[in-house]
Amino acid sequence: TQGKIAFGNRLFETTLGIQFESAVGIYTTTQPNSSVDQFMHLVKCNGRNVRVMLFPSPGYNGPRDEEALQRFFYPLDYQEMAVTKPLVPGQLRIHTGLDIKFDFENEASLDILFSKNQETRAVHVCVGAGSHIGVYQPWTVNDYGYTTSVVTKLLNVDASTSMSFRNLFEADTLDLAFHMSFPRVWNQTQHWSCDVNVHKVTWYFIFSHKWYFQELLEDWSVNYRPDLLTFVPYEWQFNIVLHDFEMIWIANEHNWIECSSNPRQKTYRPTLDKMV
């Protein structure tokens, strides 16, 4: 049956909403993978026309301050994380992490929303059937700390913007892997990496995209300057590999782009390469 699920309240500017036309969930138990277990839990959900979105919270009457709420309910304790000790015979097993995977059996679309001057903007991403997204969150700590991972494989990707010139990105296959390493000491340098592997890609580039994505990052990032008591340094490493790469540059006179459906009004300058 049709339904909605909302996560949020009036203390937050936005609420996470999930809307679906129909959904079926099945809980079962089966034979365990380990001989020391009695059984294994299985939960399978099948949804149709599922939409996940962020919308303004009803009754919200304060400034955007999610960071302050997080600091209030989950304050830093400034303690070094203890290494998880190995289990000894006779102890109960512990959960080592949370592994979540989303499989798309049909075509799906994702809208990344942000705002500028009270105007809602978006990056629209459409993916084909067979795509999947995996998230792994460790619940144990090793000698270094722990590493959170997000791994995705997207097929038949078609991305566009809400600008007048909508074209942005097309690819047969897009592999993304984010690894976020958190050390045991709370203010030591965090190491974040992003691996991108794309096959048969066409990328449309105009100068306005620079400002467009800068506004997206500003809207999604922390909007205050941390002090010495909360500052945590981190570094990014990007590894990008492009196969059968094509970049389209718009080269109209006076940098004017006619966004009508008439292709004769546009002048393209493609850049081709087998691998970058």
Side-chain angles (χ1 to χ4, degrees):
T1 59
Q2 185 177 4
K4 298 179 180 179
I5 302 175
F7 299 91
N9 54 45
R10 62 182 179 84
L11 298 179
F12 291 90
E13 182 183 14
T14 56
T15 294
L16 174 64
I18 302 175
Q19 181 178 350
F20 50 88
E21 181 178 316
S22 62
V24 177
I26 300 176
Y27 166 76
T28 59
T29 58
T30 184
Q31 294 294 325
N33 293 330
S34 174
S35 60
V36 298
D37 290 335
Q38 296 182 358
F39 49 82
M40 182 170 61
H41 303 274
L42 287 178
V43 178
K44 294 183 178 180
C45 298
N46 192 347
R48 183 178 181 183
N49 291 336
V50 179
R51 298 184 62 189
V52 181
M53 68 194 79
L54 292 171
F55 57 88
S57 299
Y60 175 76
N61 56 359
R64 178 177 180 176
D65 202 4
E66 295 94 334
E67 297 85 7
L69 290 174
Q70 182 175 357
R71 294 195 302 270
F72 179 80
F73 289 103
Y74 301 99
L76 289 172
D77 58 6
Y78 305 102
Q79 301 296 316
E80 180 177 340
M81 290 186 291
V83 177
T84 303
K85 297 180 179 180
L87 299 179
V88 298
Q91 282 186 304
L92 295 177
R93 290 190 303 162
I94 62 174
H95 299 288
T96 59
L98 177 64
D99 196 353
I100 303 176
K101 185 177 181 181
F102 300 92
D103 292 310
F104 299 96
E105 297 181 354
N106 300 293
E107 293 182 354
S109 60
L110 171 67
D111 290 342
I112 304 174
L113 304 178
F114 64 100
S115 61
K116 179 68 174 180
N117 298 328
Q118 297 183 345
E119 177 186 353
T120 301
R121 304 179 182 181
V123 176
H124 310 283
V125 181
C126 298
V127 298
S131 303
H132 62 82
I133 300 175
V135 181
Y136 180 73
Q137 174 62 46
W139 286 350
T140 59
V141 179
N142 55 30
D143 291 335
Y144 169 80
Y146 65 91
T147 300
T148 300
S149 300
V150 179
V151 179
T152 68
K153 187 177 186 65
L154 306 179
L155 307 177
N156 300 325
V157 183
D158 185 1
S160 60
T161 69
S162 56
M163 302 171 59
S164 298
F165 183 80
R166 300 180 61 85
N167 304 72
L168 178 61
F169 182 87
E170 299 171 4
D172 281 3
T173 305
L174 172 61
D175 294 313
L176 291 174
F178 296 94
H179 301 286
M180 296 155 280
S181 298
F182 300 90
R184 292 169 53 200
V185 179
W186 71 273
N187 61 350
Q188 280 189 344
T189 302
Q190 300 177 4
H191 302 279
W192 295 32
S193 66
C194 175
D195 299 321
V196 182
N197 200 318
V198 192
H199 290 265
K200 201 172 182 180
V201 54
T202 299
W203 178 17
Y204 297 86
F205 179 78
I206 60 176
F207 188 78
S208 298
H209 286 157
K210 174 181 181 296
W211 307 113
Y212 194 81
F213 286 96
Q214 181 176 337
E215 293 167 357
L216 184 151
L217 294 176
E218 290 176 351
D219 188 67
W220 279 68
S221 59
V222 176
N223 56 5
Y224 72 94
R225 179 176 296 179
D227 54 29
L228 292 178
L229 296 179
T230 59
F231 174 73
V232 177
Y234 65 94
E235 60 183 16
W236 273 97
Q237 178 182 355
F238 291 92
N239 302 308
I240 303 175
V241 180
L242 306 176
H243 303 269
D244 293 331
F245 171 66
E246 178 185 27
M247 176 180 283
I248 304 296
W249 302 76
I250 310 300
N252 286 13
E253 187 177 4
H254 305 302
N255 201 30
W256 175 263
I257 302 175
E258 174 59 49
C259 296
S260 65
S261 59
N262 187 358
R264 292 178 297 178
Q265 299 292 333
K266 301 183 181 68
T267 302
Y268 297 106
R269 288 185 179 176
T271 300
L272 306 176
D273 207 328
K274 283 293 183 181
M275 183 174 177
V276 178

